[in-house]
Amino acid sequence: MNMKKIYLIIVALLSCSAMFAQTVAITANPGTSGNIVIGQSNYHVSESIYTDAEIGSGNFITAGSAIQEIYFFVNTLGTGTTINNYKISMKNVPAGTTTFANGVYSAAGYSVVFNGTFTAPAAGPVGITLTTPFVRTAGTNLQILIERTDNTLHTGYIFDAAVGNDVGSTELSSRRYNNTTAPTAGITTLTATNFRPAIAFVHTYAIDAEILDIATPDITCYNTPQTLSVYLYNAGTNSIAGGAATVTLKVGGANTYSGTQTNTGAIASGAFEIINFTGINLNTAGTNIDTAYVTLAGDGTSFNDTLVTASVTASTLSTFPLVEDAEATLTPFPVFNYAQAINVDQLWT
């Protein structure tokens, strides 16, 4: 497995260990801001819109799949890690409502989903368990109201932002108030901005198997059977018993393969097992489409059951010298993109 895949797996595991189950993270058009989530003045109020397309129209729309947790992402730790008098409210708004103008602060139509204290002790995901899970309405956007009224400075905090929305980064998808004067509903004005909090919405399932990654050999030409490894992750709260999860790997494209295995041992919540599929013939040059999926009795969601990736079998180089035209219109260029020098520059003539 290459270093990029190792890094991605580590990031995924760090995230999933804190927030397993169905997770929809909205982090597009990434940015950072100290004026979101809690703000750096005595009081903070904000409203943000997350579109149906960003969340997924079929996600969190029943009582059995409601939003149970949300996660914000601390980029830089500030002072005052205990956040008191913190209220989060949600409401469904029409699909056409995607942006804000400057407007008066109001909690009308919102349902309070959290009202209390949370701690932001370190950089990274900061989870808040909702006291009242929220059910979305399919086809609508989700609007979130944050109110912090603890009259305390939390200086230095910077949070990750999802700037704009799925339409574009300049969309005014949020509005906010940060000031030393307590906000008053119906009077205080919120200022529109395109910096809204990056956020993850979570519903936890007791039984939830996930295909986390398919590890493939490095790009080269092959003349012996190869091994592809599937990472089976337990995203649920219950342990997965040995032999309970069935994993199927299929290879299509330049080469073909199909095989099925079960997990050998119990997989604890937040842990994973690597399932190796051996004896795979990848001798034919070209792109391979690798698909892995898992079936598990009682699995609460299917959105993370399947993963599709691609791998490449390089053509055999038998004619020398290798000649390539610098002005050729071939895509991708250069053709021999798997023939690398030690310093990462390609040697070609």
Side-chain angles (χ1 to χ4, degrees):
M1 190 179 354
N2 60 41
M3 289 305 298
K4 182 178 181 182
K5 280 198 173 182
I6 292 173
Y7 172 78
L8 290 175
I9 289 172
I10 291 173
V11 170
L13 289 178
L14 287 176
S15 299
C16 290
S17 64
M19 46 180 171
F20 37 71
Q22 180 167 0
T23 302
V24 175
I26 298 176
T27 58
N29 308 321
T32 59
S33 175
N35 295 313
I36 57 177
V37 182
I38 61 175
Q40 297 193 27
S41 192
N42 298 64
Y43 299 94
H44 172 80
V45 175
S46 69
E47 290 183 288
S48 299
I49 297 172
Y50 300 90
T51 69
D52 186 58
E54 292 176 312
I55 300 172
S57 60
N59 291 330
F60 314 114
I61 60 174
T62 66
S65 63
I67 300 171
Q68 296 173 323
E69 299 173 82
I70 60 173
Y71 280 77
F72 298 117
F73 303 92
V74 178
N75 182 278
T76 303
L77 186 65
T79 60
T81 57
T82 299
I83 316 299
N84 296 306
N85 295 59
Y86 198 81
K87 183 187 292 186
I88 301 173
S89 303
M90 297 181 176
K91 68 178 177 180
N92 296 302
V93 295
T97 304
T98 60
T99 60
F100 290 102
N102 295 350
V104 174
Y105 154 50
S106 172
Y110 280 101
S111 298
V112 177
V113 295
F114 178 84
N115 190 1
T117 299
F118 80 95
T119 302
V126 176
I128 298 175
T129 300
L130 306 185
T131 49
T132 304
F134 186 82
V135 179
R136 294 185 57 246
T137 299
T140 64
N141 297 335
L142 177 63
Q143 191 164 302
I144 299 179
L145 171 67
I146 296 174
E147 302 164 272
R148 178 181 61 79
T149 56
D150 59 352
N151 192 20
T152 302
L153 292 175
H154 299 279
T155 58
Y157 273 106
I158 297 177
F159 283 82
D160 289 345
V163 182
N165 55 30
D166 57 314
V167 175
S169 60
T170 60
E171 299 293 294
L172 301 179
S173 54
S174 187
R175 60 185 177 187
R176 66 196 182 206
Y177 171 86
N178 291 290
N179 209 303
T180 57
T181 303
T184 302
I187 297 177
T188 300
T189 297
L190 306 184
T191 303
T193 175
N194 57 338
F195 279 79
R196 62 176 177 173
I199 196 169
F201 302 107
V202 180
H203 181 88
T204 302
Y205 293 96
I207 303 174
D208 187 7
E210 175 179 352
I211 300 297
L212 189 63
D213 187 53
I214 304 172
T216 58
D218 291 334
I219 299 174
T220 186
C221 47
Y222 306 105
N223 55 17
T224 58
Q226 300 297 306
T227 296
L228 273 66
S229 300
V230 176
Y231 284 68
L232 174 62
Y233 179 73
N234 184 358
T237 56
N238 292 354
S239 176
I240 298 176
T246 301
V247 176
T248 299
L249 174 68
K250 292 182 179 293
V251 177
N255 297 275
T256 59
Y257 170 85
S258 181
T260 299
Q261 295 189 45
T262 59
N263 57 306
T264 58
I267 306 175
S269 175
F272 68 92
E273 179 179 315
I274 301 174
I275 299 178
N276 295 316
F277 291 82
T278 60
I280 301 174
N281 186 334
L282 298 178
N283 294 359
T284 302
T287 300
N288 310 302
I289 306 302
D290 310 316
T291 304
Y293 58 89
V294 59
T295 55
L296 175 65
D299 197 327
T301 179
S302 61
F303 89 104
N304 56 1
D305 290 351
T306 303
L307 180 65
V308 180
T309 64
S311 58
V312 176
T313 300
S315 56
T316 303
L317 305 180
S318 57
T319 303
F320 297 93
L322 304 180
V323 178
E324 188 170 273
D325 182 359
E327 296 182 353
T329 58
L330 296 173
T331 302
F333 180 84
V335 175
F336 304 114
N337 58 353
Y338 43 81
Q340 297 287 330
I342 293 176
N343 66 355
V344 188
D345 295 326
Q346 188 175 76
L347 302 178
W348 58 276
T349 62

